[in-house]
Amino acid sequence: MKVMIFIGLIVFAVALATIIQQRFLQKISVNYIALVIGIAIALVPQTNILIENFNSEVFLGLIVAPLLFFEGQRTRLYSILRSWRAIVGLTVVMIVIATIVAGLGVHAFGLSLPLSFILAAVSTPTDATATESVIHGLKLPKKISFYLKDESLFNDASGIILLNMAVEWYIHKQLHVGEAIVDFLYSAGGGILIAAILVFLRQASFRSKYHLASDVRMPIEVLFFLTPFIIYFIAEEIHVSGIIAVVAAGLLHNVESERSRLTNASIFYSSHQFSQLIIDILNGVVFLLLGIIIVRSMREDVFNQQTIEVILIGIILYVANLAVRLLYCRFSPSIKGKVSSKGALIFSLGGIHGAVTFALAYTLSEMSVNIADFHLILVSEIVLILLSLIVPTIAFRFILEKDKPDLDQRKEVNRVRKAMVHYALKQMNQIYLPKKIRKQLEFDLRTQMNKTSIKDFIKEVKYTVKQKELTDDQKEFRAKVYRYAFRQERNYLGKIAQQEQEYQHGFLVLYREILIAEVIFLGDEE
């Protein structure tokens, strides 16, 4: 029961953050609202006690793994292969340089080299989810967006390998660079192999003569939902990189879906919608838990000289990473010439830290790191994360161009929606319809533009419950009438979309809504 309450509270809090953002704070990213709600939950004893203690392994497997899988699914493998040198540079070479610079910087502050490099390794992974929060309402250059996204997909594995090497150095007082390189190659190669085998097996089952009938959706959709979890935990069980495995699986799934989307169109569409829902929920969960963990980690911390030192260590980690990212982007042979000075600054600021940094920091509690050092690592990484969120949120307001405001687009789309419905109603008034069908049609079309009140709804419910079940012929006729009305709406959108190019995305959303409504009435004939 406690686990059910915990899950229910987390999901409800994420939904609440979305409602607040949509209704009252549209200019603020929903992730920041989720962060504040998480802080509030942790500050209130009655709600804080309902939240389970943080477990890094569960967090990586149940939240980070599916997030990376679905993010990889939205990335074309062609783009990755075409820019593989730049990606390897960003996720291996730059990460190693950043770890060395940050480690030496912290060591100069007075910490031992092994502990300094543990801090540096934990600070290297970046988070695409967090990056989307700091650019809310702003235009990120396409090339920079590509580099930031691909970096965040692959640098987690580098951070994990470097962290393991630093922990071995911390515990056994010996540094094994050669073993770390071999571990990285084995871990990365094994992860990619696991992903490829599982995707191949799934495709083989889809295309075999024993494949399930096209209208049997549940087993296929369940398998799709479980894919990132299965891949991650199998990979981790055989000691290869689960992170790289789920990213590779996501990239392969992108190729797979491009050539398989019409094998079963309804399953493809529902899987796409489901993955978007999971991304939205998990993004919110990451920031919600981030807020909870920040409060829990710092609640027992007494502000003294040691606290000031820990904060300074977090600042050193952030500045070191920022400087390396800036210089690497400006002078790396694989990127030099492709990115301007301004682009390099945007890239350096866009390296936001979040979920994986927290998870890696927490794994140290299970690795024989003493309590005092673990607390130092945790608090300093919190400082790093907060700085990586706050600094670009402010700086990007002066550096990046403003995107077309969501509010403006929403207003324009709502205006077009109303005009579209009025056009369809006008066209339907020109043909004969039975009174009952016309009444239902007018009510349903008006609901598309949110022009029905609770009073109207109650009245309609009373009318509906008194009506007999329609015959099959009547249902078929009603479905044809509705499809004709939807066709009129699509015709109107087709005309208006040619005149107004500025809000094409919003018009596509409307068009998709109409097609979905038509599918509903196609199913009504069954």
Side-chain angles (χ1 to χ4, degrees):
M1 179 62 75
K2 189 176 180 180
V3 173
M4 293 176 63
I5 293 173
F6 163 65
I7 295 172
L9 177 60
I10 291 295
V11 174
F12 173 76
V14 170
L16 179 62
T18 304
I19 293 170
I20 292 172
Q21 194 267 346
Q22 290 291 319
R23 293 291 298 274
F24 308 110
L25 300 170
Q26 294 174 356
K27 294 184 178 181
I28 298 176
S29 170
V30 67
N31 290 332
Y32 279 142
I33 298 172
L35 178 69
V36 173
I37 292 177
I39 291 172
I41 288 174
L43 289 174
V44 178
Q46 289 80 2
T47 53
N48 182 54
I49 199 173
L50 299 175
I51 305 299
E52 296 287 334
N53 290 329
F54 185 82
N55 184 293
S56 58
E57 184 178 353
V58 172
F59 185 76
L60 284 169
L62 298 186
I63 296 179
V64 175
L67 259 180
L68 291 175
F69 172 77
F70 291 124
E71 287 291 344
Q73 184 187 325
R74 299 196 295 187
T75 305
R76 292 201 71 213
L77 185 57
Y78 169 79
S79 301
I80 301 294
L81 296 176
R82 187 180 179 185
S83 305
W84 70 269
R85 287 184 180 87
I87 293 170
V88 170
L90 291 171
T91 57
V92 179
V93 179
M94 189 184 74
I95 292 300
V96 171
I97 295 172
T99 303
I100 293 171
V101 172
L104 293 176
V106 173
H107 175 62
F109 195 74
L111 299 183
S112 68
L113 272 175
L115 180 57
S116 299
F117 276 86
I118 287 176
L119 283 160
V122 173
S123 72
T124 53
T126 54
D127 190 338
T129 301
T131 303
E132 292 178 3
S133 301
V134 302
I135 61 169
H136 181 71
L138 301 170
K139 284 184 179 179
L140 191 65
K142 190 173 181 181
K143 179 65 72 173
I144 302 301
S145 176
F146 171 78
Y147 285 143
L148 287 173
K149 182 177 181 181
D150 292 339
E151 178 200 8
S152 66
L153 282 175
F154 294 101
N155 66 5
D156 299 342
S158 300
I160 291 171
I161 298 298
L162 289 170
L163 177 62
N164 290 336
M165 181 178 67
V167 170
E168 284 292 314
W169 189 11
Y170 176 91
I171 296 173
H172 302 295
K173 311 301 180 185
Q174 291 181 332
L175 183 61
H176 302 288
V177 178
E179 289 182 13
I181 295 173
V182 172
D183 285 345
F184 178 80
L185 295 175
Y186 169 75
S187 185
I192 293 170
L193 183 62
I194 288 291
I197 290 172
L198 289 179
V199 170
F200 174 79
L201 290 175
R202 187 173 65 178
Q203 275 296 306
S205 69
F206 285 171
R207 299 176 189 281
S208 73
K209 63 181 180 179
Y210 303 107
H211 177 54
L212 294 171
S214 61
D215 58 342
V216 180
R217 300 170 54 177
M218 190 271 287
I220 299 173
E221 292 180 346
V222 169
L223 181 61
F224 173 75
F225 169 71
L226 293 177
T227 295
F229 306 108
I230 294 172
I231 290 175
Y232 178 83
F233 286 109
I234 288 178
E236 289 295 315
E237 189 64 27
I238 63 173
H239 305 293
V240 299
S241 175
I243 294 294
I244 288 183
V246 293
V247 171
L251 294 170
L252 291 173
H253 188 274
N254 178 275
V255 179
E256 176 190 11
S257 63
E258 283 190 12
R259 308 290 3 119
S260 308
R261 63 184 66 187
L262 296 183
T263 302
N264 193 317
S266 62
I267 289 179
F268 175 83
Y269 178 76
S270 61
S271 297
H272 175 76
Q273 294 299 105
F274 174 78
S275 64
Q276 186 57 53
L277 174 63
I278 293 297
I279 288 173
D280 291 341
I281 292 174
L282 293 182
N283 280 343
V285 169
V286 165
F287 276 81
L288 190 81
L289 293 178
L290 195 62
I292 293 170
I293 293 166
I294 286 173
V295 173
R296 287 184 173 180
S297 300
M298 305 189 76
R299 174 174 280 144
E300 298 178 0
D301 193 48
V302 179
F303 193 84
N304 51 31
Q305 181 63 33
Q306 186 178 8
T307 304
I308 296 174
E309 292 174 358
V310 171
I311 291 173
L312 289 175
I313 290 171
I315 295 173
I316 291 171
L317 291 172
Y318 178 67
V319 172
N321 277 276
L322 196 68
V324 170
R325 295 174 64 83
L326 178 63
L327 295 173
Y328 184 88
C329 198
R330 285 296 292 132
F331 301 109
S332 167
S334 61
I335 299 178
K336 187 178 180 181
K338 299 178 182 178
V339 178
S340 65
S341 298
K342 181 180 178 181
L345 177 60
I346 294 170
F347 174 81
S348 63
L349 289 168
I352 316 300
H353 305 277
V356 178
T357 297
F358 249 127
L360 291 184
Y362 261 95
T363 61
L364 297 170
S365 64
E366 306 160 7
M367 292 186 178
S368 302
V369 174
N370 72 59
I371 295 176
D373 287 343
F374 173 69
H375 181 72
L376 180 148
I377 293 167
L378 199 58
V379 177
S380 60
E381 298 298 344
I382 287 174
V383 174
L384 167 79
I385 290 169
L386 292 177
L387 284 173
S388 73
L389 287 167
I390 295 169
V391 172
T393 299
I394 297 171
F396 280 163
R397 267 44 191 179
F398 301 97
I399 299 174
L400 298 179
E401 297 179 9
K402 289 186 177 181
D403 198 0
K404 181 61 64 178
D406 292 341
L407 186 59
D408 291 352
Q409 176 161 273
R410 195 174 295 126
K411 286 179 180 178
E412 179 63 16
V413 170
N414 285 337
R415 184 191 68 78
V416 173
R417 188 197 303 272
K418 292 176 183 178
M420 173 191 76
V421 173
H422 286 307
Y423 176 83
L425 287 171
K426 183 179 178 181
Q427 297 301 311
M428 298 307 292
N429 286 334
Q430 297 178 13
I431 63 175
Y432 168 77
L433 290 176
K435 184 178 179 181
K436 181 190 299 186
I437 298 290
R438 184 176 295 280
K439 186 175 183 300
Q440 289 181 359
L441 178 67
E442 289 178 352
F443 177 83
D444 287 337
L445 292 185
R446 283 190 294 118
T447 59
Q448 286 183 305
M449 52 182 182
N450 199 24
K451 286 292 183 181
T452 55
S453 64
I454 291 293
K455 182 179 178 181
D456 294 331
F457 174 73
I458 294 173
K459 182 179 178 182
E460 198 67 21
V461 168
K462 289 180 179 178
Y463 175 80
T464 301
V465 297
K466 294 178 181 177
Q467 301 303 308
K468 294 181 180 179
E469 178 72 19
L470 296 178
T471 65
D472 290 341
D473 290 340
Q474 289 173 326
K475 287 182 179 179
E476 183 178 351
F477 176 72
R478 183 183 65 178
K480 289 179 179 178
V481 169
Y482 273 76
R483 291 203 300 274
Y484 179 75
F486 297 142
R487 188 157 63 247
Q488 300 307 311
E489 291 183 339
R490 291 203 311 274
N491 291 341
Y492 178 82
L493 279 182
K495 296 176 184 177
I496 200 72
Q498 295 176 6
Q499 302 171 18
E500 300 188 35
Q501 298 293 321
E502 193 174 7
Y503 299 101
Q504 284 296 308
H505 176 71
F507 294 155
L508 289 174
V509 171
L510 282 178
Y511 199 88
R512 184 168 64 241
E513 288 178 4
I514 298 167
L515 290 175
I516 293 172
E518 190 163 345
V519 169
I520 291 172
F521 281 92
L522 278 172
D524 203 35
E525 295 180 12
E526 297 177 358

